[in-house]
Amino acid sequence: MSKKITAKTKPNLHRAHSSILVDGPERAASRAMLHAVGFKKEDFNKSQIGVASTWSMVTPCNMHIDRLARESAKGIDAAGGKSIIFNTITISDGISMGTQGMKYSLVSREVIADSIETVVGCECLDGFVAIGGCDKNMPGCVIAMARLNRPSVFVYGGTILPGCIGPEKKEGDIVTVFEAVGKHANCLISDDELHEIEEAAIPGEGSCGGMYTANTMASAIEAMGLSLPNSGAQSAVGDDKMRDCFDAGVAVLNMIKLGIRPSDILSKESFENAITLVIALGGSTNAVLHLIAMAHSAGIKLTIDDFTRVGKKTPVLADLKPSGKYFMNDLVKIGGTVPLMKMLVEEGLMHGDCMTVTGRTMKENLSKIKLKYPKDQKIIFPVSNPIKKDSHLVIFRGNLCPEGAVGKISGKEGFEFSGKAIVFESEETALQAILHDKVKKGHVIIIRSEGPQGGPGMREMLSPTSAIMGKGLGKDVALITDGRFSGGSHGFVIGHVTPEAFVGGPIAVIKNGDAITIDAVKRMITLGIPDKELKARLKAWKQPKPRVKRGVLAKYAATVQSASLGAVTDLDVVG
């Protein structure tokens, strides 16, 4: 339920924090330093609003965000606030995928959240706009928004346009390249063809173009009410994205006027809205990890079982990549996510009475928007004729994963798989085995010691899953890991296995040749050995030494919690 804001309960947020920093004779030194960065005398009487920019030339996902940040600053200043742009980091999953560098990916979510909290808290900002354009900086921004609980709006950097490959002008994206590596290893394409694909698949700025993790999380955040309508479904290079940035700056000042903070927007129902939209769009398994972590920061109890509960009544409606046909940009062309959310609210699948950053409820926002999908579009299916009648995100239990695991089961691969385990202690060794034909039809690939603590960092594994597809084994093998998957992964793949191998979960004692059965209907993964033998193996198991002893990865490993708890690093937020 939305939290009703009344004159009696409305806090005065105009200069709730900045006044402490700059008011009075004793704060002259603070004002002097701010004069040097462009403040005028009159600016000290305005709400000071930060713009948390994740700009970087590290990745195309974020290379344009400096431009978007400046536009948000214009909106803040035009609405009577004083804008202050500051930066935080970003990393690139797509570039570091399949290397040791990928261990820093999930860690960056915490670094980003911590850094935004640090700047906003230290500089006593009254509110902020957070702009993210890649997988981890989006939940990182929202975690900071929830922790700080100051008027704030999230802006998505926008989706990339598809690449244009070869004389046939075939559309492609980053997953096209990863799967081409598997085809090249299988001698299905030449060196020249692989080179042509890599040069043309990524045309410019914006986040990866399917319903992968970036577009998944942008849509989820919009459904939670923390972004303006359709912010999650815009091209990175479109004029509508620039308007979105300007309007977000204005919206923060309006939130201050109305006395609205994230705690007035975030609720169990708003997170259920996010889960519902993620399922309807066929989104990434990473949504499970990130939404639980974001709820944790807001003091809201969200568990993996909530995904099962909501998933039983929520259909998959979008024919989007990786398991579908279309790119995110195709959805943008027909109206984005707003008409879909309107449909879901009308069907009673989303809560329309949740508050949003506009100062209106979700239902009120949608009633003002007349967008409808074209009658001849084939991207979004009707609720009466879904692609899948219930969720593709399956939470598994069983003697292999007693605390849970997460799979993305579209149904195209079937709903059950039985085979013999082939065990690898790292992603790299598994990838080489796949590329060199050591993985055969009927294998259940086990990649362990890649969890949040054991990795450390819980790497994504787009390289092996894409190699499986490129090798033509998509329906013939399964993959189970205590790591996780890119939103671009598809096939019979299950990640987030808990307890992870490093802490002595059953995945740590699987042996080559063990029988494994995956049943997506019963949501069970069964390691086919007697209970007595499993107990004996676990009793004999000894914990390995940590792979990293100092630095950010070591600090992360020492504080991170189970993947089933969102892989959070801050404790005691939820009582």
Side-chain angles (χ1 to χ4, degrees), residues 28-313:
S30 301
R31 294 192 298 272
M33 294 191 75
L34 289 170
H35 276 301
V37 299
F39 271 60
K40 303 290 191 291
K41 185 177 180 180
E42 58 270 22
D43 291 332
F44 295 110
N45 294 318
K46 299 174 182 177
S47 298
Q48 293 184 24
I49 310 298
V51 180
S53 168
T54 57
W55 172 80
S56 172
M57 289 304 291
V58 165
T59 169
C61 307
N62 293 63
M63 62 188 285
H64 61 302
I65 286 179
D66 56 339
R67 182 176 75 246
L68 304 187
R70 290 193 297 271
E71 196 66 16
S72 282
K74 289 179 185 177
I76 291 164
D77 295 338
K82 176 57 182 171
S83 63
I84 301 174
I85 299 175
F86 65 93
N87 235 74
T88 182
I89 66 155
T90 192
I91 54 87
S92 172
D93 294 345
I95 296 171
S96 63
M97 195 76 67
T99 74
Q100 293 292 305
M102 187 66 193
K103 291 182 176 182
Y104 290 88
S105 170
L106 188 56
V107 177
S108 76
R109 185 188 75 182
E110 311 308 305
V111 176
I112 291 160
D114 291 350
S115 63
I116 293 174
E117 179 189 355
T118 299
V119 175
V120 173
C122 180
E123 302 306 317
C124 297
L125 300 178
D126 299 305
F128 61 102
V129 174
I131 309 176
C134 198
D135 299 11
K136 309 309 170 297
N137 52 58
M138 289 188 277
C141 287
V142 172
I143 289 169
M145 291 166 72
R147 287 180 189 168
L148 288 157
N149 198 30
R150 301 182 192 187
S152 47
V153 175
F154 177 77
V155 173
Y156 177 41
T159 187
I160 198 171
L161 300 179
C164 189
I165 300 169
E168 306 90 2
K169 298 185 184 293
K170 184 179 179 182
E171 290 187 329
D173 66 0
I174 186 64
V175 176
T176 309
V177 186
F178 276 103
E179 293 187 359
V181 173
K183 291 179 181 179
H184 180 265
N186 213 21
C187 300
L188 297 175
I189 61 173
S190 67
D191 291 349
D192 288 344
E193 287 172 310
L194 178 60
H195 186 68
E196 184 177 24
I197 290 169
E198 75 175 65
E199 282 196 329
I202 314 295
E205 55 202 48
S207 298
C208 298
M211 188 45 61
Y212 313 145
T213 304
N215 283 317
T216 296
M217 294 315 302
S219 301
I221 293 166
E222 183 183 333
M224 288 162 58
L226 291 178
S227 295
L228 297 175
N230 247 354
S231 179
Q234 294 169 338
S235 164
V237 296
D239 291 340
D240 53 354
K241 179 49 64 184
M242 295 297 280
R243 287 193 296 272
D244 180 43
C245 293
F246 186 94
D247 291 346
V250 176
V252 175
L253 272 297
N254 188 50
M255 291 176 73
I256 287 175
K257 179 181 177 182
L258 296 175
I260 296 174
R261 294 174 290 190
S263 59
D264 300 306
I265 295 169
L266 297 175
S267 63
K268 188 66 175 278
E269 289 80 9
S270 70
F271 278 95
E272 288 176 353
N273 282 349
I275 295 170
T276 298
L277 187 60
V278 166
I279 293 169
L281 290 168
S284 167
T285 53
N286 279 315
V288 179
L289 196 75
H290 294 324
L291 286 171
I292 290 173
M294 289 149 65
H296 176 82
S297 292
I300 295 164
K301 188 173 177 61
L302 190 73
T303 72
I304 55 174
D305 296 322
D306 288 310
F307 287 82
T308 299
R309 176 177 56 81
V310 175
K312 286 180 179 180
K313 63 180 181 179

Side-chain angles (χ1 to χ4, degrees), residues 469-541:
M469 289 296 173
K471 281 282 191 177
L473 293 170
K475 295 183 179 180
D476 299 324
V477 302
L479 193 159
I480 296 174
T481 180
D482 53 6
R484 58 195 176 91
F485 297 110
S486 161
S489 292
H490 57 122
F492 221 114
V493 295
I494 291 113
H496 306 208
V497 168
T498 55
E500 63 172 286
F502 184 77
V503 299
I507 191 173
V509 297
I510 298 172
K511 295 180 178 179
N512 286 329
D514 283 346
I516 295 174
T517 299
I518 305 165
D519 189 328
V521 177
K522 294 180 180 178
R523 302 182 180 88
M524 294 290 293
I525 305 178
T526 304
L527 176 60
I529 61 174
D531 288 346
K532 186 177 181 180
E533 182 177 349
L534 177 57
K535 288 178 182 177
R537 288 188 192 181
L538 289 171
K539 186 176 181 180
W541 175 84

